[in-house]
Amino acid sequence: RTHLRYQPSMGDTDKGMGTVAPQLLDSNCSPSKYDLHFELDFPSLRFRVEEVIHINIHKKSERVLRLHSLDNDLKTAALQCGGKRLTPRWEVIEKDEAIAFHFDEDFPADEGQLEVEIEGKFNENLCGLYRYEGDVKGKKSTFACTQFAATDARRAFVCLDEPAAKAVFVVSVSAPKKMTVLCNTPAVKEEEEKNGMVRSTFEPSPKMSTYLLAFAVGVFDSVEAKSSSGVTVRVWTPAGRKDEGSFALHTATKVLDFYEDLFGPFPLTQIHMVAIADFAYGAMENWGMITYRETAILYKEGRSSSSAKKRVAEVVAHELAHQWFGNLVTMKWWTDIWLNEGFATWVGTLAVNELFPDWDVWTNFLTHYASAALHADALKSTHSVEVPIGRAREVSEVFDAISYCKGASCIRMLHDYLGDDHFKKGLRAYLHQHEYGNAATLDLWTAMEEASGKPVCKLMEVWTKKEGYPLVSVDWEVEGQSIRVQQERFLLDVSLTEEERSTWHIPLRILTSADSTLAVDFTTPTAVLDVGSCKWVKLNAGQAGFFRVSYSPSLLAGLKQAIVGKELPPRDRLGALLDSVSLSNARRQVLPDVLSLVMTLKDDDNVDVWMAMCDFVDEIGSIFVGEGGIEIGKYRQFLEVLLSAKACALVDDSEHLTAMEEILATKLSCLLAYAGSPLLSPLQKHFELLVGAFNAAHTPAEGAVATVSFDSAVVDAALSSCPSYLLKAVLMYGVRERGKEGFEVAKAVAKGATASDVRVVALAAVGNTNNDDDLQAVAELIEDEAAVKSQDIAFVFSGLCSTWPGRKMALSIVKDKWESVVIKRCGKGFLLARVLGAVMRSLCRKHLLKVGTEIILARPEICDIKRSVSEHVAGAEARVGWFEEEEEHLASFLLSFTSSNTEH
């Protein structure tokens, strides 16, 4: 039996899926306030909760109230209402993750207080109220943290766990005296209890959704500062590491200033930003108390990489954006989760660009966010931005590239279309109209339309309610004067066809050789456009549009000349490359033509263009080299001709590199991390320095492989000899080329480095081996809970899947140790999806993909991540198709290329 109410008015439609209405719990009440007292018992790994839920009762006749509860043991319950105290019976409704309270007499449709007491166990899979292992002076200690998004508040207390069911929360927590207790709001008092515990009570929260409630209990250090408006910002770090929170603190105060100018005053007086040692997601925007994975908030000056620094800035900006866009105004239902994530991704980039303009993050946006969205949205497994969600549990599957990256790309396109002033006016109106309430996508479009006077609702409907995006094909109509453009849906799988031709409202910007930019609303299947007198045209000028472009051979030839002459700005050069790569992925352009364009860009001076080139040739290596494909020697010869000069120039000038050049140097050095490469000398040198430092601290027996100490002080001291941007490549070189010694060094860094981002780099590097014994050791490392946290297992699998023997090992782990390792360590949600994604992405041969899909699709535990698995399968099928179509073309190109370069 189920007790869900259907509300078609809040539902949505999606082509091929019909109408999907939210399934809301038929609760018969609306909570307005929760009084919650949590008592934590760390020795038994259990907790107890005393609740008073202030409710408005809808109907008296039903004699029943229903609320969400999952994995909790209800001890007592009573209802105070209409001057009476009623004691109910209760039943668990497993299908709805709910509990029903049945009463023997009527109660008025009035205000009431439902009093309940529950007990539960700390969760083991990083959700609900869970325990994790923290570090105190080198010793492990059990701490606690919450992760209630999206639908796990019900695991910790009885509630109406739906985003529109906003309420005020008054929280108190009893915890060991030695520990710090943090919550959404400031503490108002602390009281010592007889059992050696301290009860911390916090100010009432603003009216908010259940998924935004949070608290953390542990031993922390902190740094703090104030924003210009006086908001107190505190960054909480593991004990003894507060210096690693300084960069996040500086960034947060400046971002708050930027957002208050953009959105209006910050609604709270303080914000906690807490580093959690074991955390499933990157971060969580709980109102007033943001929780982070350590790699998303901690930055160790002189040791962490520029890539790690950039990630901290981006995540901090993203999560602070949610304090307004998501927390102050929340989506009505999970269908509009993209409103939270897509907007925060876009405006977070805007904020980082304001603080760090030299990073040029809007150009990097194209390779980091837009490309991810364009790839995912070209698969048959894609979904619309406004994704129809029926059951709330389904939302965990759409925290993906469509919600985040396509959502952000659509916002960027709209901002470009409306202009900055109209966009900001509409944004402020939207926030003001819906503050402390809920909204849907149409509410945002309506506010933007009223502010700008432009047809925003009509323009954006097709981009957020419809799957996919257009391919705009262009050719001369009259050469040098006019062009003919045509639009159709772009799909990576060319065997797929649409029932009917799709048409989008495309805000089309066209750059011409006459240095003019034309703006056209392209709304028909085909059109002829006058471009004046010009030699070449570049569509999607500035790359604000969410679509791909295919040029006729004559137009592409002219565009190449413009690229060589640097007549195109960097974003347009990058856009031309990314379009060409994607067309090859879809078998609409042969791979040698793309490689020819890449060689044209060999002397480009833009960092982001180079990073896109690195990503492309890395993808070629992953898909085409080995296992019946291209010979690795020919591939590496191509790499050396393309990359050597740039790589050596950066490494030789390492003391003067910008942050973005360091990130590029990391990519280049990893591609060239093998014996005989042009970077062999610096890689070998720094590896020897690492080994020497380890051996100096722990001398191995004569003739034995270096036995490395895992002591953090030793590891950190050894790492001081290696530039942070080069570390990943040095470890990869060691694992690939130096046998057991290299493997042990990488494992030592993975286990012993203090900086979290350094440990992650080492975990990814440790699997880069073809050696059977080392592969077995990696498999054992995955099982070692002390060595690899659950949150980091996907990094190990990703490294393991960098070689063909490793891919087969990963597949065997999934097959043979599904329950004992994979499910035990990952659970059945987000972490499992990440691990399976790492494995599935690597299966780019038909026979391996067949085996992999048979193994994975048969597992009942994937029921909550089916959409994610389907996307991984569709992506793998596209890569298999690309390999089978283009392998011979690539082999011919490389044969000709190597012969030509050998002669010269």
Side-chain angles (χ1 to χ4, degrees):
R1 207 154 53 107
T2 186
H3 296 278
L4 299 173
R5 66 186 190 277
Y6 293 78
Q7 294 199 351
S9 62
M10 288 175 59
D12 207 342
T13 59
D14 200 34
K15 184 177 178 181
M17 295 180 67
T19 299
V20 180
Q23 299 178 27
L24 308 179
L25 187 67
D26 188 6
S27 60
N28 194 28
C29 66
S30 300
S32 60
K33 178 184 174 185
Y34 294 85
D35 292 316
L36 300 169
H37 175 61
F38 294 88
E39 186 176 304
L40 309 185
D41 185 353
F42 284 101
S44 69
L45 300 180
R46 295 185 64 83
F47 62 89
R48 185 173 68 88
V49 188
E50 296 174 353
E51 297 186 52
V52 179
I53 310 171
H54 302 258
I55 57 176
N56 294 304
I57 299 170
H58 301 158
K59 301 175 185 177
K60 66 178 182 180
S61 58
E62 288 194 4
R63 296 187 177 184
V64 64
L65 300 173
R66 301 182 187 89
L67 293 168
H68 290 107
S69 181
L70 180 62
D71 297 336
N72 298 313
D73 184 8
L74 184 63
K75 295 299 184 181
T76 64
L79 175 67
Q80 294 275 6
C81 185
K84 296 182 179 180
R85 182 178 177 84
L86 307 176
T87 302
R89 306 179 314 278
W90 56 80
E91 66 166 327
V92 173
I93 311 168
E94 291 186 5
K95 185 177 180 182
D96 299 341
E97 299 180 348
I99 192 164
F101 300 93
H102 296 280
F103 298 86
D104 293 330
E105 57 183 286
D106 291 346
F107 43 76
D110 197 358
E111 294 181 353
Q113 295 85 43
L114 181 64
E115 302 171 5
V116 298
E117 181 181 334
I118 66 168
E119 291 184 2
K121 295 179 180 179
F122 287 130
N123 190 275
E124 298 289 333
N125 294 121
L126 309 186
C127 61
L129 172 53
Y130 70 90
R131 71 174 181 95
Y132 70 95
E133 296 300 314
D135 186 86
V136 182
K137 297 180 179 179
K139 295 183 179 180
K140 297 297 181 183
S141 184
T142 301
F143 298 159
C145 177
T146 61
Q147 172 59 42
F148 290 158
T151 58
D152 287 319
R154 65 193 68 179
R155 293 184 186 272
F157 62 101
V158 177
C159 58
L160 186 54
D161 200 11
E162 295 167 354
K166 289 193 168 186
V168 173
F169 297 83
V170 181
V171 176
S172 63
V173 180
S174 292
K177 185 177 181 179
K178 64 180 180 180
M179 292 188 178
T180 299
V181 181
L182 305 171
C183 193
N184 303 75
T185 54
V188 291
K189 64 179 177 180
E190 292 186 346
E191 305 166 283
E192 287 198 28
E193 298 178 316
K194 293 180 180 179
N195 55 3
M197 306 279 274
V198 172
R199 178 169 177 158
S200 302
T201 303
F202 300 88
E203 289 182 4
S205 76
K207 187 180 179 183
M208 65 186 190
S209 305
T210 48
Y211 78 90
L212 295 172
L213 182 66
F215 64 88
V217 180
V219 178
F220 305 101
D221 279 343
S222 68
V223 289
E224 71 175 74
K226 288 185 181 292
S227 70
S228 295
S229 64
V231 177
T232 300
V233 183
R234 294 186 185 89
V235 176
W236 297 85
T237 75
R241 296 170 61 188
K242 67 180 182 180
D243 60 308
E244 295 179 45
S246 296
F247 175 69
L249 179 68
H250 167 78
T251 301
T253 55
K254 299 302 181 185
V255 168
L256 274 178
D257 292 343
F258 177 76
Y259 285 160
E260 287 197 295
D261 182 59
L262 179 62
F263 300 137
F266 184 64
L268 305 177
T269 60
Q270 71 165 36
I271 184 95
H272 292 311
M273 296 168 38
V274 190
I276 303 297
D278 212 358
F279 199 75
Y281 299 92
M284 176 57 210
E285 67 267 20
N286 316 295
W287 209 355
M289 198 197 97
I290 305 171
T291 43
Y292 294 81
R293 184 181 285 227
E294 288 186 358
T295 53
I297 190 172
L298 301 182
Y299 172 77
K300 190 174 181 65
E301 189 69 44
R303 182 62 270 152
S304 295
S305 65
S306 293
S307 179
K309 187 175 188 177
K310 179 171 176 284
R311 171 168 164 74
V312 169
E314 289 171 340
V315 177
V316 166
H318 180 104
E319 301 307 324
L320 286 174
H322 278 310
Q323 305 302 298
W324 287 266
F325 222 96
N327 298 3
L328 181 65
V329 180
T330 310
M331 70 271 152
K332 288 180 179 177
W333 181 244
W334 300 112
T335 287
D336 291 305
I337 186 62
W338 86 273
L339 274 177
N340 285 19
E341 303 304 346
F343 185 85
T345 301
W346 176 82
V347 81
T349 306
L350 188 73
V352 172
N353 187 65
E354 180 74 13
L355 267 64
F356 305 100
D358 56 315
W359 290 359
D360 191 16
V361 291
W362 282 118
T363 303
N364 187 245
F365 181 97
L366 302 179
T367 54
H368 189 48
Y369 295 119
S371 287
L374 287 160
H375 176 79
D377 209 25
L379 298 172
K380 63 182 180 182
S381 59
T382 190
H383 59 80
S384 55
V385 171
E386 293 182 69
V387 57
I389 296 289
R391 299 184 68 86
R393 280 284 166 201
E394 297 169 18
V395 72
S396 63
E397 296 193 79
V398 296
F399 287 93
D400 61 8
I402 301 299
S403 297
Y404 282 75
C405 305
K406 183 177 179 180
S409 298
C410 288
I411 292 289
R412 180 170 181 255
M413 182 167 61
L414 178 63
H415 176 267
D416 185 70
Y417 178 73
L418 296 181
D420 193 58
D421 290 342
H422 284 152
F423 184 91
K424 288 179 178 177
K425 182 181 177 182
L427 177 61
R428 293 182 183 120
Y430 167 82
L431 289 171
H432 178 70
Q433 290 166 11
H434 302 285
E435 62 183 10
Y436 298 104
N438 298 83
T441 298
L442 185 60
D443 296 315
L444 178 61
W445 299 157
T446 300
M448 293 289 182
E449 186 165 299
E450 291 173 352
S452 66
K454 293 186 177 182
V456 176
C457 296
K458 183 178 180 181
L459 165 70
M460 297 306 296
E461 181 181 36
V462 68
W463 292 101
T464 60
K465 287 185 177 294
K466 186 175 183 175
E467 297 175 354
Y469 61 88
L471 169 69
V472 178
S473 300
V474 55
D475 197 359
W476 290 117
E477 176 71 8
V478 176
E479 186 166 352
Q481 298 179 36
S482 60
I483 56 174
R484 176 177 291 276
V485 291
Q486 173 183 310
Q487 60 166 295
E488 61 182 300
R489 183 175 175 183
F490 180 72
L491 290 160
L492 288 180
D493 189 339
V494 293
S495 67
L496 297 177
T497 57
E498 291 187 279
E499 295 177 7
E500 57 187 48
R501 179 178 289 276
S502 296
T503 304
W504 282 259
H505 183 158
I506 305 174
L508 186 60
R509 292 188 183 275
I510 306 169
L511 178 66
T512 75
S513 60
D515 200 26
S516 63
T517 303
L518 312 174
V520 179
D521 280 3
F522 181 26
T523 60
T524 56
T526 62
V528 174
L529 307 174
D530 184 6
V531 293
S533 178
C534 60
K535 297 178 180 178
W536 54 260
V537 296
K538 165 65 175 64
L539 272 62
N540 199 10
Q543 294 299 122
F546 190 75
F547 54 91
R548 292 296 188 197
V549 180
S550 175
Y551 298 91
S552 67
S554 60
L555 278 171
L556 187 58
L559 206 56
K560 280 186 179 181
Q561 291 303 311
I563 289 171
V564 171
K566 296 214 171 71
E567 297 175 68
L568 289 179
R571 286 178 202 169
D572 288 301
R573 301 200 299 271
L574 177 59
L577 172 62
L578 295 174
D579 284 343
S580 189
V581 170
S582 195
L583 288 168
S584 178
N585 292 157
R587 284 94 82 193
R588 289 174 176 264
Q589 186 174 342
V590 293
L591 191 49
D593 285 354
V594 188
L595 294 169
S596 174
L597 177 59
V598 167
M599 293 304 294
T600 299
L601 290 162
K602 182 174 178 286
D603 296 320
D604 202 281
D605 58 1
N606 183 265
V607 169
D608 288 289
V609 171
W610 265 98
M611 284 202 264
M613 291 163 60
C614 289
D615 290 342
F616 174 55
V617 295
D618 188 29
E619 183 182 30
I620 288 175
S622 176
I623 293 174
F624 288 91
V625 173
E627 195 70 10
I630 302 301
E631 292 179 24
I632 194 167
K634 288 185 172 60
Y635 168 70
R636 285 179 171 175
Q637 188 171 345
F638 171 73
L639 287 185
E640 290 167 16
V641 172
L642 177 65
L643 308 179
S644 292
K646 188 71 171 180
C648 291
L650 291 175
V651 172
D652 290 345
D653 193 34
S654 60
E655 293 184 4
H656 303 98
L657 299 182
T658 66
M660 297 306 290
E661 285 174 335
E662 283 194 357
I663 295 172
L664 172 58
T666 299
K667 285 180 177 285
L668 288 164
S669 59
C670 288
L671 284 165
L672 297 171
Y674 54 85
S677 93
L679 290 184
L680 177 61
S681 179
L683 295 178
Q684 199 170 36
K685 168 191 166 184
H686 287 293
F687 180 78
E688 297 293 354
L689 288 172
L690 277 177
V691 173
F694 282 133
N695 285 344
H698 183 85
T699 305
E702 186 176 352
V705 173
T707 304
V708 180
S709 169
F710 298 139
D711 179 80
S712 292
V714 172
V715 174
D716 288 347
L719 290 172
S720 65
S721 67
C722 184
S724 58
Y725 77 88
L726 205 57
L727 177 62
K728 185 176 181 180
V730 169
L731 295 178
M732 289 172 62
Y733 159 77
V735 171
R736 288 173 176 174
E737 307 293 350
R738 300 296 292 267
K740 188 68 174 176
E741 184 178 53
F743 179 81
E744 291 295 336
V745 166
K747 191 168 71 169
V749 176
K751 285 188 172 185
T754 300
S756 308
D757 61 291
V758 172
R759 293 198 303 271
V760 166
V761 163
L763 285 172
V766 79
N768 279 252
T769 178
N770 290 309
N771 180 278
D772 290 340
D773 291 338
D774 290 343
L775 287 172
Q776 184 57 45
V778 175
E780 293 168 2
L781 195 66
I782 289 170
E783 298 183 42
D784 187 347
E785 295 183 25
V788 183
K789 297 174 182 177
S790 296
Q791 65 170 17
D792 295 328
I793 287 177
F795 294 110
V796 185
F797 270 96
S798 180
L800 194 60
C801 291
S802 63
T803 69
W804 284 105
R807 294 172 191 185
K808 293 169 185 176
M809 172 64 78
L811 203 54
S812 71
I813 293 171
V814 171
K815 178 178 181 291
D816 300 330
K817 297 188 176 182
W818 176 258
E819 292 183 359
S820 63
V821 175
V822 179
I823 297 301
K824 180 183 177 183
R825 306 273 351 247
C826 301
K828 302 175 185 178
F830 178 75
L831 294 177
L832 178 62
R834 290 187 65 207
V835 166
L836 296 184
V839 176
M840 295 298 291
R841 278 193 298 273
S842 72
L843 303 181
C844 41
R845 297 292 182 272
K846 184 177 286 186
H847 65 285
L848 286 177
L849 179 58
K850 182 177 184 294
V851 172
T853 52
E854 288 175 353
I855 291 171
I856 292 169
L857 295 181
R859 302 293 189 180
E861 291 88 351
I862 68 167
C863 62
D864 288 339
I865 57 169
K866 281 186 177 178
R867 189 190 293 267
S868 300
V869 171
S870 295
E871 180 181 330
H872 296 317
V873 171
E877 289 173 344
R879 284 186 285 276
V880 167
W882 193 31
F883 170 79
E884 293 181 342
E885 183 82 14
E886 290 293 326
E887 192 271 335
E888 288 187 11
H889 294 150
L890 178 58
S892 297
F893 172 86
L894 291 179
L895 180 62
S896 174
F897 181 89
T898 53
S899 298
S900 173
N901 281 276
T902 300
E903 290 170 7
H904 295 304

